[in-house]
Amino acid sequence: NTTESTVSLQISTQKGVDLNFTSAELTLNLDDFSQRILEPAMSVLAANIEADALSMALDVYQSVNNIGSAISLNKVLVARKLLNDSLAPMDNQRTALLNTQDNVDLVDSLKGLFQDSEAIKKQYKEGIMGRTAGLDFYENTLLANQTTGTAASATTYTVNGANQTGSGVVVATGATTFKKGDIVTFAGCNRVHPETKADTGVLQQFVVTADHAGGAGTLQIAPAIVTSGAYQNVSASP
């Protein structure tokens, strides 16, 4: 049987830049009104919209762990692998946004690798990345730092009850904390191929969607755990 799914899109945020000018100013300075008033205002508006969109990074469950280390081409390629494993289109429209420090580290580490003369010239003269590893690279000042919880890579938490599905997992007592945006995995809960549903042998990543103060309770996660049917995403419950 064919089942169509829908997702409601809530328009919940409105951005604006307030301006104050008189009709006389608009009349007498019409020639440069756009350059002096509208363009700076649009720049501020665009930055606010972009920062709002980038804050959604905390909702993403596909992640490459590189905490405490400088970015490297290897980590970029691992990110590319995650996209390919998830069947993201290889359509030359993939983009990598780097904060200013990551841009410094990656350009410095790859300064001797490019063979395209135009790319070498741009990298040398402008200090920015071009295109490599199937990605267009751009520098961005709006990427925020992420605060993580105190939970170590291997925690003492255990799942409190078998066969759990959905977007909340009940866990037993533990002392460490989780912050929204933390990435977690559960033993025995492997990712399946999106089409064949075959067990990949790789633990499925989940993102914590709400802070957890520690102790027994329900850990809110995304994506929801689905163990069967057309929307199956894991081999088994945790």
Side-chain angles (χ1 to χ4, degrees):
N1 294 332
T2 298
T3 302
E4 292 188 341
S5 62
T6 61
V7 176
S8 297
L9 178 62
Q10 181 180 7
I11 309 301
S12 58
T13 304
Q14 184 175 8
K15 299 290 185 182
V17 177
D18 294 329
L19 299 176
N20 184 21
F21 55 88
T22 67
S23 58
E25 290 174 318
L26 181 59
T27 302
L28 297 175
N29 300 308
L30 183 61
D31 291 341
D32 55 359
F33 174 74
S34 176
Q35 182 179 8
R36 292 175 54 200
I37 306 298
L38 293 185
E39 289 182 12
M42 287 302 299
S43 178
V44 172
L45 180 59
N48 277 278
I49 294 174
E50 186 176 9
D52 222 27
L54 291 175
S55 70
M56 290 187 286
L58 295 182
D59 300 325
V60 177
Y61 61 87
Q62 295 275 41
S63 177
V64 179
N65 184 4
N66 196 43
I67 297 175
S69 302
I71 191 173
S72 64
L73 183 60
N74 174 268
K75 297 301 182 182
V76 174
L77 292 172
V78 173
R80 177 182 180 275
K81 176 183 181 299
L82 285 179
L83 290 173
N84 291 342
D85 288 346
S86 300
L87 307 185
M90 301 180 68
D91 53 7
N92 294 323
Q93 295 189 35
R94 297 180 180 181
T95 297
L97 294 181
L98 304 177
N99 65 36
T100 50
Q101 184 58 52
D102 283 341
N103 183 73
V104 170
D105 294 334
L106 195 57
V107 170
D108 182 63
S109 65
L110 298 180
K111 59 179 178 285
L113 295 182
F114 284 110
Q115 297 302 315
D116 188 315
S117 59
E118 286 300 313
I120 294 174
K121 181 174 68 174
K122 184 176 183 180
Q123 187 187 41
Y124 179 76
K125 286 188 173 182
E126 306 297 336
I128 58 176
M129 290 286 296
R131 179 174 176 83
T132 188
L135 298 166
D136 293 312
F137 284 78
Y138 297 97
E139 193 173 16
N140 193 292
T141 62
L142 298 172
L143 293 166
N145 291 329
Q146 179 182 344
T147 301
T148 64
T150 59
S153 295
T155 75
T156 57
Y157 279 97
T158 55
V159 175
N160 192 6
N163 302 319
Q164 296 191 47
T165 58
S167 57
V169 175
V170 181
V171 294
T173 183
T176 51
T177 65
F178 297 93
K179 298 285 288 183
K180 178 181 177 180
D182 283 349
I183 303 298
V184 297
T185 57
F186 301 101
C189 191
N190 292 343
R191 180 178 64 83
V192 298
H193 188 278
E195 292 178 326
T196 66
K197 309 305 180 185
D199 188 339
T200 63
V202 178
L203 291 176
Q204 171 67 45
Q205 291 184 330
F206 299 91
V207 63
V208 176
T209 58
D211 292 354
H212 183 75
T218 300
L219 193 63
Q220 299 296 328
I221 59 167
I225 296 174
V226 182
T227 57
S228 62
Y231 301 109
Q232 179 183 355
N233 57 3
V234 295
S235 59
S237 295

